[in-house]
Amino acid sequence: MTSGASDTDGAARIVRDVVCGFCGLGCDDLEVAVTGRAIAPRRACPEAARLLARTDAPPPSARIAGTPASLEDAAAAAARHLAASRSAVFSGLGADLEGLRRLYDIAMVAGASLDHAASAGLFANLERLARRGWIAATLAEVRNRCDVLVVLGADPASAFAHFFERAMPSAPVPADADAAPLFVPHAGGRSVVIVGGPLSDTSRAQLTRHDVVEITVPEDRIATAAAALSAALAGRATEALAGLPLGVAEALALLAGRLKAARYGVLTWNAATLPPEDAAAVAGAAAEAVDILNVTTRAAVFPLGGRDNVTGAHQLALWRFGYPLRTVVGAGTARHVPDLYATATALADADLLLHASAFRPDPPPGFDRGPVIALAHPGTAFAREPEVFIPVGTPGVDHAGHVFRMDSVICLPLQGLRPAELPSVAAAARAILAALGRAA
Ligand code: SF4
């Protein structure tokens, strides 16, 4: 699964089978035309096209308090601020694995709390996963085995444009023995049920070969509907059915029967787009439904997420510190307090903010209690000029790298598409570590 062969079309180099690292779904069939520094996407979803596109303009230089500087001088300035800090916060963390490794190195030297910009959904899911565990499917299992897919919440394609295309492809070409789904009899008859919705016209078009049911539920009733579904599966009478729109309770009872009859049911949701106060409850109800189903058949959850390698940041924190994100490290210790070290809360007591965002031009969160060090996309528009700005390349555009797919089981190799002129997050962080007197 590496970016594939390239050929030329006039002055442009056409690169096919490009692996995408932006949303976590890990599409590997993108195509771009590269002319000098310019990149023109030819096959990509709208989000990837927006984030891949580059002009031929030269990149900006690093800046210290708004004044252009060399990478070495900017790194030295960042190191001075870090050495003087007593309560640093590292935010964003949108970087490939090598970049994250070096950022975590800096955190261990200087002392800092760590959180990713897209971790809210992850922590809603961890409320269930960390306490009771769950049975989860990989994307390949959904694609090849799932015969009833239940979506809880909004249309997943709004955040993961190719989700249905990859998870529930249309019926295979009869002559292609390797086409998905490999293990679903009567593949054209797979079922997709969305509890929430509505599905977009694009999603409906992608799913025309499948049996699609839309159970319309307002956003603030998704958690109630999920609880009602798991109660119906358990055969419990429940007050949770109260408050649901007319006809929804009956539709959920039918869905429970359909899941019980399925060979491999999958429940999916995007915790990041659910109301924050309900996301953990939806994850818990989905996991409970799967527990009930697995007594008599096969079922699994498939939580959606993974933007900007948040899954990699989470995995790396577990390997390095034995704790997830929202942990403070330094002086040989690590302390995990998720409420305290969520970025917004941690910034209230911070004296320095280091923000990393290599995949997209997301600015740092608002902060005025101390210096800001930004290892950021060159197109970032800052509300306040950082004390140190080091523009960094994007993994999968300016340099190679690795990111985790949303299901945590695949580490995707990204390939650089154009000559590297910007340092990677890893290179910028290594320069800061050197200035701190630490070799990476
Ligand atoms: S759906 Fe996600 S992984 Fe696929 S091309 Fe779009 S941003 Fe990339």
Side-chain angles (χ1 to χ4, degrees):
M1 200 186 290
T2 55
S3 296
S6 62
D7 54 38
T8 54
D9 178 5
R13 183 169 54 92
I14 309 301
V15 188
R16 299 191 172 83
D17 298 333
V18 172
V19 180
C20 178
F22 294 119
C23 81
L25 190 56
C27 298
D28 57 359
D29 57 354
L30 279 57
E31 185 175 307
V32 299
V34 183
T35 311
R37 296 189 199 93
I39 298 177
R42 290 166 45 122
R43 176 182 160 81
C45 78
E47 174 78 339
R50 181 176 72 83
L51 294 171
L52 283 168
R54 296 291 190 278
T55 69
D56 199 35
S61 70
R63 298 196 295 264
I64 302 173
T67 302
S70 67
L71 170 62
E72 292 70 25
D73 287 349
R80 284 193 295 277
H81 287 302
L82 284 159
S85 164
R86 292 293 169 267
S87 180
V89 167
F90 285 15
S91 71
L93 301 186
D96 63 328
L97 281 179
E98 184 61 15
L100 290 166
R101 280 193 184 99
R102 300 292 80 89
L103 290 174
Y104 290 7
D105 287 345
I106 297 175
M108 291 167 74
V109 171
S113 66
L114 301 163
D115 191 16
H116 191 285
S119 67
L122 172 77
F123 276 90
N125 291 337
L126 282 177
E127 278 201 27
R128 159 73 197 213
L129 180 59
R131 288 183 213 285
R132 299 187 52 194
W134 61 27
I135 300 166
T138 65
L139 181 58
E141 286 168 326
V142 179
R143 184 176 166 88
N144 285 305
R145 295 183 182 277
C146 172
D147 55 350
V148 178
L149 176 69
V150 178
V151 177
L152 299 168
D155 184 344
S158 60
F160 311 97
H162 291 168
F163 172 70
F164 287 123
E165 204 175 290
R166 288 176 62 74
M168 300 292 275
S170 297
V173 178
D176 185 353
D178 290 330
L182 293 173
F183 310 111
V184 179
H186 314 300
R190 297 216 260 180
S191 294
V192 178
V193 183
I194 184 162
V195 181
L199 288 172
S200 68
D201 291 342
T202 306
S203 294
R204 289 188 189 116
Q206 285 174 354
L207 294 168
T208 47
R209 293 203 166 208
H210 300 300
D211 174 23
V212 176
V213 176
E214 296 189 50
I215 303 174
T216 304
V217 176
E219 187 185 68
D220 63 355
R221 290 287 180 273
I222 303 289
T224 305
L229 176 60
S230 106
L233 285 165
R236 291 195 304 263
T238 172
E239 310 77 53
L241 295 173
L244 290 171
L246 196 64
V248 167
E250 293 76 9
L252 292 172
L254 285 175
L255 175 56
R258 191 184 281 232
L259 279 167
K260 284 180 179 172
R263 290 162 58 112
Y264 198 123
V266 172
L267 283 82
T268 189
W269 68 96
N270 180 4
T273 56
L274 290 164
E277 63 278 14
D278 291 342
V282 171
E288 186 189 353
V290 163
D291 286 350
I292 296 164
L293 286 164
N294 273 288
V295 175
T296 54
T297 183
R298 186 90 191 269
V301 298
F302 186 80
L304 296 161
R307 183 169 70 94
D308 295 354
N309 199 25
V310 62
T311 309
H314 173 58
Q315 298 284 351
L316 185 61
L318 291 171
W319 303 334
R320 291 285 289 269
F321 313 123
Y323 293 113
L325 293 162
R326 300 187 178 175
T327 289
V328 67
V329 300
T333 65
R335 184 166 171 256
H336 175 60
V337 187
D339 291 342
L340 196 56
Y341 298 125
T343 297
T345 311
L347 282 177
D349 287 322
D351 64 1
L352 180 148
L353 171 63
L354 186 152
H355 181 77
S357 182
F359 292 100
R360 65 189 74 221
D362 277 357
F367 179 66
D368 58 8
R369 296 172 49 88
V372 174
I373 300 165
L375 277 53
H377 190 288
T380 307
F382 295 100
R384 163 199 159 190
E385 175 68 21
E387 274 64 22
V388 180
F389 168 47
I390 301 178
V392 293
T394 300
V397 174
D398 296 295
H399 61 85
H402 289 85
V403 296
F404 268 82
R405 201 171 67 184
M406 62 172 65
D407 55 6
S408 304
V409 296
I410 298 288
C411 192
L412 300 165
L414 307 177
Q415 177 177 298
L417 298 173
R418 63 177 188 166
E421 295 183 63
L422 290 166
S424 63
V425 168
R430 271 196 296 271
I432 295 172
L433 280 166
L436 285 166
R438 303 295 180 108

